[in-house]
Amino acid sequence: MRDLPLSDPGVADHRSPGRFLWWLAKGQWQTLAGGMAFGIVWMGAQAVMPAVLGRAIDRGVAAQDSDQLLVWAGVMLSIGLVQAFSGIMRHRFAVTNWLIAAYRTVQLVGRHTVHLGGTLPRKVSAGEVIAIGTSDISHLGQVMDVMARFAGAIVSFVLVSAILLSTSVTLGLVVLVGVPLMMLLVGPLLSPLQRRSAHQRHLMGRLSNTATDIVSGLRVLRGIGGEQVFLDRYRRQSQETRRAGVEVARVQSVLDALQVFLPGFFVVLVVWLGARSAVAGDITVGELIAFYGYAAFLVIPLRTVTEFANKLIRARVSARRVCTVLALTPDHTDPDSPAPSPPVGSELHDSRTGLRVHPGRLVAVVCERPDESALLADRLGMAAAELDDDVTLGGVPLPALRRSEVRERIVVSDTGATLFSGRLADRLDVSGRGGEQAVRTALATASAEDVLEALPDGLDTLVTERGRSFSGGQRQRLVLARALTGDPEILVLVEPTSAVDAHTEARIAARLRAHRAGRTTVVTTTSPLMLDAADEVALLEDGRIVARGTHTELLETSAAYRAVVTREAEEAAR
């Protein structure tokens, strides 16, 4: 499967579901064309089989000519073999088309979510993205799957109509007029089906989001006894989604019933007209049998056409949801003319708060309100929602640099960071440049040796989804080890020891200073143990740095600092 550049013109236009489906089809036109070709041969072989059977009866059975019977039987066998081979190939191409459409969508949405970065959770819920990967890709794949049979249905319908017109003008006209008329009878159901499907899809996304919230916060819910509240909420949303599904099923059931009734009625009509023509002597017995075969065969293309319309509607609904995600733009984009890269070891400065981080130092930021210090950390790494020229690296505003350069030089690890599934060593060394020794050193700095020793396969252990097999303190230490393994020029840590005990925190504080010697580190914390290990401490109050110094100096000179840190120490002691 080829890589999907985000600069592709088809990818860039996310406004129209129809254009997105066209872009998908254009990207796999070779397999679609192959599937359609075999679909036409497969259904065409079925279409001509009644004509061959009628000839065999008239020229072989009715004429009592054994040679002719063998000839036409051989023709039927040949057509049957062609039908079998083309059917196998048509199915293989159909499955291939389904997989390509589904997983190109997954690849595209995955690449775009990476492109959005921290913007994604601020603009769309996790449940919405999950629903794309569970239900929407199936609907998008199905419309590409049915394309081969749809092409065969159209061509075989034209072929049968031509055969019937050459045999009986009346029957040919019945087919040519009757089939489009039946399609018109089905048409009024398509609009309400699309509307109800869209509503159900919206509710499914909301339900997936609620389920994600419950699973991710299950430990907290158990701690505060909130399981029942969220369970009741999930039940209400689940029942609402179920009722929406029932509304879709009502229209779908009528559509499915018409797919059986209308072709069946059409078969009866064609056979009745053919029988009257046979009685009148206008057609032979073999032609009457062939007419019945045509009528029975037409059920297949008719049902295929209605199936295509049904799947196209569902695919458009899914495509609209995919386009909603693809239309999102990141909060920060690369400038048209990026500024020259500041030299390594440049000073990080935030003019809005007055924070100045000198290179090679461990600076701690203390704030009574954790959200305020966390926002400052995001701004230092250009991870906040708004563009901020106030933060500079070596005098160059961060938005003037390429995003990739900022992300590589400044790493922000916050309390919401999680572990992805996979081999532990790979999840800790995400760049692949550190190596096993760097991982082990980082684990030692994060005081996570006991976590590694408790694992049966060590670094080869497979991490479960979001690292749920680890406790909160273990996950926090592993996340810290991951940030340290990357060894960035500037590392910003948000409350890196909030979930560990005092003894572990003391070890981390002492080791962190040594591990990051010569590189710049910013830590937001109110822990006296971490503050005592810092080269410099800055007190953030009402969005401004109001005091600077060492931990000991600020305890002696700043009452506000002393109040924050002393309260933290008292809470830790309790």
Side-chain angles (χ1 to χ4, degrees):
M1 189 182 301
R2 70 179 181 89
D3 199 21
L4 298 177
L6 293 175
S7 58
D8 189 313
V11 182
D13 189 354
H14 311 304
R15 294 167 295 178
S16 169
R19 290 185 180 182
F20 178 75
L21 290 174
W22 170 251
W23 177 82
L24 278 180
K26 186 174 66 173
Q28 57 188 88
W29 69 268
Q30 297 96 332
T31 55
L32 278 176
M36 289 179 180
F38 282 110
I40 291 172
V41 174
W42 172 68
M43 203 164 283
Q46 297 181 67
V48 300
M49 187 66 79
V52 177
L53 178 61
R55 293 293 180 88
I57 291 174
D58 284 340
R59 299 185 181 183
V61 178
Q64 296 184 354
D65 189 334
S66 301
D67 293 337
Q68 284 292 314
L69 182 60
L70 288 175
V71 169
W72 289 106
V75 173
M76 291 177 62
L77 176 61
S78 300
I79 295 175
L81 293 175
V82 171
Q83 178 184 341
F85 175 76
S86 59
I88 293 172
M89 297 304 298
R90 191 269 316 161
H91 180 71
R92 289 176 64 90
F93 272 97
V95 173
T96 300
N97 286 324
W98 190 102
L99 292 173
I100 291 176
Y103 290 104
R104 285 181 78 222
T105 304
V106 170
Q107 183 187 25
L108 179 61
V109 174
R111 285 173 57 86
H112 195 61
T113 55
V114 173
H115 179 63
L116 290 171
T119 303
L120 181 67
R122 289 193 288 266
K123 292 188 175 181
V124 69
S125 66
E128 189 67 23
V129 180
I130 291 173
I132 289 176
T134 53
S135 62
D136 290 333
I137 63 170
S138 177
H139 296 317
L140 293 171
Q142 286 173 1
V143 77
M144 300 300 168
D145 176 331
V146 77
M147 285 294 292
R149 287 183 289 123
F150 176 70
I154 298 299
V155 173
S156 63
F157 166 71
V158 174
L159 179 60
V160 168
S161 299
I163 295 174
L164 289 176
L165 281 173
S166 65
T167 307
S168 171
V169 176
T170 301
L171 290 176
L173 291 176
V174 167
V175 173
L176 287 175
V177 175
V179 172
L181 182 61
M182 286 190 291
M183 294 300 100
L184 292 177
L185 293 175
V186 174
L189 295 175
L190 301 182
S191 179
L193 178 62
Q194 180 172 358
R195 185 174 61 253
R196 296 183 185 188
S197 297
H199 180 59
Q200 183 198 22
R201 171 61 181 79
H202 169 71
L203 295 179
M204 288 177 62
R206 191 179 67 170
L207 185 64
S208 298
N209 191 50
T210 300
T212 302
D213 290 342
I214 292 174
V215 173
S216 60
L218 190 58
R219 293 177 185 269
V220 178
L221 290 176
R222 286 177 175 172
I224 63 176
E227 303 104 308
Q228 190 61 43
V229 175
F230 275 81
L231 176 60
D232 293 341
R233 179 186 301 176
Y234 185 83
R235 281 176 173 169
R236 288 195 302 270
Q237 293 184 1
S238 177
Q239 290 303 309
E240 187 178 359
T241 305
R242 181 190 63 80
R243 287 191 291 271
V246 171
E247 293 300 317
V248 173
R250 286 176 178 171
V251 180
Q252 183 68 53
S253 63
V254 175
L255 182 61
D256 291 342
L258 290 177
Q259 287 179 351
V260 176
F261 172 75
L262 292 178
F265 174 78
F266 188 70
V267 168
V268 172
L269 177 62
V270 171
V271 171
W272 180 71
L273 292 175
R276 287 175 58 87
S277 298
V279 171
D282 296 333
I283 60 175
T284 64
V285 175
E287 289 173 335
L288 174 62
I289 295 174
F291 273 27
Y292 175 78
Y294 296 140
F297 164 75
L298 285 175
V299 173
I300 299 175
L302 289 178
R303 295 195 64 175
T304 301
V305 171
T306 53
E307 179 188 356
F308 174 77
N310 184 17
K311 290 184 175 180
L312 180 61
I313 287 175
R314 292 179 178 270
R316 285 182 60 86
V317 171
S318 296
R320 182 174 292 108
R321 309 303 295 191
V322 173
C323 289
T324 299
V325 174
L326 296 181
L328 300 177
T329 55
D331 295 325
H332 311 296
T333 56
D334 287 340
D336 295 333
S337 300
S341 300
V344 176
S346 297
E347 180 184 76
L348 184 65
H349 178 228
D350 177 27
S351 60
R352 183 187 301 183
T353 62
L355 178 67
R356 191 178 297 274
V357 183
H358 298 289
R361 293 175 65 83
L362 173 59
V363 178
V365 178
V366 177
C367 184
E368 186 177 11
R369 290 176 291 186
D371 290 345
E372 190 173 337
S373 58
L375 177 60
L376 172 59
D378 286 342
R379 292 178 54 244
L380 293 177
M382 207 172 72
E386 73 281 358
L387 280 172
D388 195 349
D389 290 333
D390 295 334
V391 181
T392 60
L393 180 63
V396 180
L398 294 186
L401 301 172
R402 290 186 177 88
R403 285 200 314 159
S404 58
E405 180 181 356
V406 175
R407 297 289 182 263
E408 183 176 355
R409 299 182 66 172
I410 306 175
V411 171
V412 179
S413 179
D414 59 26
T415 54
T418 58
L419 292 171
F420 294 105
S421 304
R423 181 172 172 265
L424 179 60
D426 298 333
R427 300 289 76 81
L428 298 181
D429 184 16
V430 292
S431 66
R433 298 192 298 262
E436 182 175 331
Q437 185 56 45
V439 171
R440 293 187 180 276
T441 302
L443 287 170
T445 301
S447 190
E449 306 100 319
D450 59 319
V451 180
L452 185 62
E453 292 171 358
L455 298 175
D457 299 320
L459 291 175
D460 292 326
T461 300
L462 294 179
V463 180
T464 57
E465 183 184 3
R466 299 175 67 89
R468 292 196 179 94
S469 58
F470 299 111
S471 67
Q474 289 175 330
R475 279 204 308 273
Q476 188 175 58
R477 286 181 284 164
L478 290 174
V479 167
L480 174 59
R482 179 177 63 187
L484 293 172
T485 302
D487 196 26
E489 177 186 343
I490 301 174
L491 177 60
V492 182
L493 301 173
V494 179
E495 301 289 347
T497 58
S498 59
V500 300
D501 59 78
H503 296 291
T504 303
E505 188 175 28
R507 289 194 297 270
I508 293 175
R511 296 172 182 177
L512 179 63
R513 181 186 180 92
H515 185 97
R516 293 289 298 172
R519 282 153 296 179
T520 306
T521 308
V522 180
V523 181
T524 69
T525 182
T526 54
S527 166
L529 294 171
M530 288 295 298
L531 295 172
D532 192 46
D535 296 315
E536 182 183 1
V537 180
L539 176 62
L540 180 65
E541 193 173 81
D542 296 328
R544 293 292 300 175
I545 299 297
V546 296
R548 293 184 182 87
T550 65
H551 174 56
T552 304
E553 291 171 350
L554 291 179
L555 283 176
E556 295 175 353
T557 60
S558 174
Y561 178 82
R562 190 164 51 249
V564 175
V565 175
T566 302
R567 182 168 59 250
E568 176 69 20
E570 291 175 351
E571 291 177 355
R574 286 199 298 268

